[in-house]
Amino acid sequence: MSTRTVELGQPVVLGSGLAGLTVARHLGEPCVVVAPAALGEGTASSWAQGGIAAAVSPGDTPAEHATDTTRAGSGAGDPRVISRMTSAAPALVAELVAAGVPFDRDATGALSLGREGGHGRHRVCHVGGDRTGAAIISTIAPQVGSDSGVTVVRGRGVEVLRDDEGVSGLLVATAAGRLRLLTDRVVLATGGAAALYRDTTNPLASWGSGMMLAARAGARLADLEMVQFHPTSLALPGAEGAPLTLLTEALRGAGAHLLSDGRRFVDEVAPRDVVAAAVHGERMLGRHVVLDCRPVPDLLEHFEGLAERTAALGIDPRLEPLPTRPAAHSVMGGVLTDARGRTDVPGLWAAGEVACTGLHGANRLASNSLLEAGVTGAAVAADLGSWTPASASRWTEGRVDPVPAERTTRLTPTHDEGGAPTPSPAVASPVVRAAMSDLVGVVRDADGLTAAIARLAQTPGEDAVLAGLVARAALTRRDSLGAHRRSDASIPAVA
Ligand SMILES: Cc1cc2nc3c(=O)[nH]c(=O)nc-3n(C[C@H](O)[C@H](O)[C@H](O)COP(=O)(O)OP(=O)(O)OC[C@H]3O[C@@H](n4cnc5c(N)ncnc54)[C@H](O)[C@@H]3O)c2cc1C
């Protein structure tokens, strides 16, 4: 297939979830947005249910939100980053309200706030109960799309091009062939990597391709072993390989019970890693775990998305409990960025779930992810707007990494023999997804991780390379921490 080259001189934003759209909205100059589908379509952002966390109720404070964030992340988050993002949350919600997002309100007109696992208070702003992401994206995507400064290119980024100075362009695969966009500024807003797993709640494009683009360009990745498993996805047989339907945490916040063979077994509003491990443990004992939504008053009125999804499956959650299982939901690790969203490569920024920002530590607090996408998107736009290639030599000036060096990884020839990019698929292969769900799941051990690394090393493709890095990071971290649970934590791990 031919490759067409275009001299751009404009920044390129890869991905059109909340992070990518926020970068485009906040940039004070024309840009190109590269996305595989129509703006906002098929993004995890548009699938987000429960909402966006912000200390907006009287009596709540960003400091309390920060405390809950730190605790959920097992103390492994960066306090400066946590303080900055939780402080920025009320302004982000106000910005979305001003943009026209119709957040739910109570009888007095105040924002109606949900409570989710790990939050000490009702703090989650939502739309239609559990349609928050769809409402945010359907409000802002058309605004970005109608901005005459934004050019949309349908395609997938497959390689970040670079020279000695830094970024020199981006190679994009489109239906009409390859496009080489020459630019010295690229923003990765490609989302997370939970679709490396067979059991996932994520759109299948979210396998972490942006992380591999960054790693190939020479950027460090961090905290890759930190994968969050959502405790409650709907455990019904679906289409082969399709994502599992998420049963939002807000249901438990509103009073739904988790039952194992008919008895409650866990505090339903404990942090996600605790609840996911408890559900996994019960299932491993062969017990039948269900989410009983019958105690939730006005269930279908408050949870419009659930009403729609269960109706489509012919189930009535007011009458019958829903079978449930954990599924890979998000990643805490990713491309290492500083407060400005700068990666290690001059001219390459990352925003949203693709980035390891230091907010989450070892676990995401519920509804902090949309927050991170919005705040980091705005930070990247501000930094990008004030940066020129002439300042490339000063790229690392003022840089503070949010995690210590030992939590970072750089791609080396040990990770993949040739050291050159291998094919970057649109979705991760079934072999990779099976290895990850079966051997690098909710509870890990050295034998399983070693087997996964061997299997992944025999599998071609960038998805297998990234999955191998995740498994290696999980093998290297011998202790359990947050979402990373080692059943053999007391046994010395294999070197
Ligand atoms: C079912 C579900 C429910 C959730 N509920 C909540 C919630 O209630 N609250 C909350 O805070 N968070 C929630 N999350 C998490 C949250 O949605 C994500 O962390 C966040 O939206 C990520 O935003 P993003 O812009 O970084 O990525 P995304 O929204 O995933 O957008 C990334 C985009 O990049 C595209 N892309 C990927 N690779 C490439 C490539 N190589 N080239 C071009 N484009 C590419 C993808 O197709 C996608 O369109 C939920 C996630 C899921 C899956």
Side-chain angles (χ1 to χ4, degrees):
M1 227 179 234
S2 65
T3 301
R4 201 156 62 87
T5 299
V6 181
E7 281 280 356
L8 263 191
Q10 291 178 4
V12 177
V13 181
L14 209 50
S16 67
L18 182 58
L21 292 174
T22 305
V23 175
R25 265 162 64 82
H26 282 246
L27 263 180
E29 61 179 305
C31 68
V32 170
V33 177
V34 176
L39 279 187
E41 205 178 287
T43 59
S45 300
S46 66
W47 289 16
Q49 297 185 5
I52 181 162
V56 290
S57 72
D60 197 4
T61 60
E64 279 185 58
H65 185 181
T67 300
D68 291 343
T69 301
T70 306
R71 192 177 298 132
S74 298
D78 181 328
R80 294 158 299 195
V81 175
I82 294 171
S83 167
R84 202 178 58 248
M85 296 231 199
T86 52
S87 298
L92 175 64
V93 171
E95 180 191 324
L96 293 171
V97 169
V101 177
F103 284 104
D104 295 335
R105 292 181 180 272
D106 64 20
T108 68
L111 287 167
S112 158
L113 301 173
R115 174 149 180 220
E116 296 185 303
H119 286 279
R121 285 175 180 272
H122 284 72
R123 182 183 287 141
V124 179
C125 309
H126 48 82
V127 185
D130 57 356
R131 287 177 184 275
T132 312
I136 292 175
I137 296 301
S138 66
T139 302
I140 64 172
Q143 296 172 4
V144 171
S146 62
D147 181 337
S148 59
V150 175
T151 306
V152 180
V153 171
R154 280 273 188 113
R156 282 191 318 113
V158 291
E159 189 178 347
V160 171
L161 308 172
R162 60 162 303 171
D163 55 24
D164 291 346
E165 306 288 298
V167 167
S168 60
L170 180 76
L171 195 59
V172 179
T174 74
R178 293 210 158 192
L179 204 52
R180 189 183 292 113
L181 301 176
L182 299 184
T183 175
D184 42 37
R185 293 167 295 167
V186 170
V187 180
L188 299 171
T190 47
L196 280 175
Y197 287 77
R198 179 191 57 224
D199 302 329
T200 180
T201 62
N202 275 220
L204 297 187
S206 297
W207 65 261
S209 65
M211 295 175 197
M212 283 307 299
L213 297 186
R216 291 284 179 203
R220 282 172 298 164
L221 307 179
D223 285 353
L224 288 182
E225 71 278 25
M226 296 300 177
V227 178
Q228 183 181 79
F229 296 87
H230 200 288
T232 52
S233 72
L234 190 58
L236 288 177
E240 183 71 22
L244 298 171
T245 299
L246 177 76
L247 300 169
T248 176
E249 186 147 358
L251 285 164
R252 282 176 276 132
H257 293 164
L258 272 167
L259 305 177
S260 169
D261 282 354
R263 64 172 179 91
R264 286 177 81 179
F265 59 97
V266 64
D267 171 9
E268 282 90 356
V269 292
R272 271 184 199 164
D273 59 320
V274 175
V275 185
V279 172
H280 176 78
E282 294 297 303
R283 286 174 54 86
M284 288 299 103
L285 293 171
R287 296 182 181 142
H288 184 54
V289 182
V290 295
L291 185 68
D292 186 356
C293 300
R294 290 174 298 183
V296 179
D298 302 324
L299 177 67
L300 300 187
E301 289 73 26
H302 283 140
F303 293 96
E304 295 172 8
L306 177 77
E308 199 177 281
R309 283 185 284 274
T310 49
L313 293 164
I315 310 169
D316 188 342
R318 290 170 305 182
L319 303 176
E320 52 182 319
L322 304 170
T324 189
R325 65 182 306 163
H329 183 59
S330 57
V331 291
M332 282 61 85
V335 184
L336 184 70
T337 56
D338 68 6
R340 302 164 291 192
R342 294 186 181 190
T343 72
D344 289 328
V345 180
L348 186 65
W349 288 261
E353 197 175 326
V354 68
C356 179
T357 63
L359 173 64
H360 310 292
N363 204 1
R364 284 180 182 244
L365 179 64
S367 290
N368 266 357
S369 302
L370 290 174
L371 166 64
E372 179 185 52
V375 174
T376 55
V380 164
D383 189 54
L384 192 153
S386 64
W387 184 79
T388 62
S391 46
S393 60
R394 301 203 306 275
W395 179 254
T396 54
E397 226 169 62
R399 182 182 178 97
V400 180
D401 283 341
V403 304
E406 62 270 19
R407 281 165 51 185
T408 66
T409 308
R410 212 182 270 284
L411 196 63
T412 70
T414 19
H415 299 130
D416 74 299
E417 291 309 319
T422 55
S424 178
V427 302
S429 78
V431 177
V432 168
R433 293 178 65 192
M436 294 300 280
S437 278
D438 295 341
L439 302 168
V440 197
V442 179
V443 178
R444 296 115 183 236
D445 62 29
D447 288 349
L449 294 169
T450 305
I453 292 165
R455 203 184 293 175
L456 292 162
Q458 304 300 318
T459 310
E462 296 292 79
D463 51 333
V465 177
L466 181 60
L469 290 175
V470 174
R472 278 171 198 270
L475 184 62
T476 304
R477 186 185 280 282
R478 300 164 186 212
D479 293 326
S480 295
L481 184 71
H484 173 66
R485 292 192 174 234
R486 289 277 300 251
S487 60
D488 56 350
S490 55
I491 302 168
V494 178

